[in-house]
Amino acid sequence: MKAWWETLSARERGLVASGAVLTLALLLYALVWEPFQSSGRRLRQSVAEQRAELVWMRQAAQEIKRLGGAGTAKPTAEDRSLLTLVDQTARAAGLGTALKRVAPQGEDKLSVQLDSVEFDKLLPWLGTLERDHRIAIVSLSVDRIDGAGLVNARIILSSPVGRL
């Protein structure tokens, strides 16, 4: 390589040296500087998007606090009497034919009797009463029938607001 270099004239050496310097500069730009700059642009854009999302989240949190959870579409025990609520939710859950007796038990309790009800429908209905309507199960008695998944159930429910 050294022999080849020495055979070049001074002008050719200058051209080869400047070409090498230019090639090295282009490689540094393409392999180091440009990826660094594009990474910085992506990070700045990501930070701006996350800041906008944070502003939206703070506004949504203030709106939630202001509403105090009043935007729920599901009726609660406060909207309807416990008797009506139990009857309507039982029928909606497909337990209408099994619902044999619903009777008040004092000021804030209700006795419910279901005969030949599918156990797989009974449990989700009870979960819905507790979770969505805040109805407490005071007592639950379930007797298995000689059928596939059928039971007789006796339930005492309590209203959180004390009205039937």
Side-chain angles (χ1 to χ4, degrees), residues 45-64:
Q45 182 180 3
S46 175
V47 166
E49 290 171 358
Q50 289 178 358
R51 283 185 178 153
E53 195 170 323
L54 177 63
V55 167
W56 177 83
M57 285 183 192
R58 286 182 175 160
Q59 290 172 346
Q62 288 175 350
E63 183 71 13
I64 289 170

Side-chain angles (χ1 to χ4, degrees), residues 14 20-21 33 38 41 47 53 58 66 78 98 103 119 137 140 145:
V21 169
W33 186 255
S38 68
R41 281 191 298 272
V47 166
E53 195 170 323
R58 286 182 175 160
R66 186 181 64 79
E78 296 169 2
F119 188 72
I137 298 173
L140 173 64
I145 303 175

Side-chain angles (χ1 to χ4, degrees), residues 34-106:
E34 181 57 30
F36 179 73
Q37 289 296 320
S38 68
S39 174
R41 281 191 298 272
R42 279 194 313 268
L43 287 174
R44 282 189 293 279
Q45 182 180 3
S46 175
V47 166
E49 290 171 358
Q50 289 178 358
R51 283 185 178 153
E53 195 170 323
L54 177 63
V55 167
W56 177 83
M57 285 183 192
R58 286 182 175 160
Q59 290 172 346
Q62 288 175 350
E63 183 71 13
I64 289 170
K65 285 179 185 177
R66 186 181 64 79
L67 293 175
T72 58
K74 295 178 182 176
T76 62
E78 296 169 2
D79 299 326
R80 297 180 276 179
S81 71
L82 181 59
L83 185 66
T84 304
L85 185 65
V86 167
D87 185 61
Q88 287 176 351
T89 57
R91 293 185 194 291
L95 305 175
T97 58
L99 193 60
K100 297 302 176 192
R101 188 176 72 99
V102 180
Q105 296 283 317

Side-chain angles (χ1 to χ4, degrees), residues 140-156:
L140 173 64
S141 172
V142 179
D143 299 318
R144 191 170 120 194
I145 303 175
D146 289 336
L150 296 178
V151 296
N152 290 333
R154 308 294 173 265
I155 309 162
I156 297 179

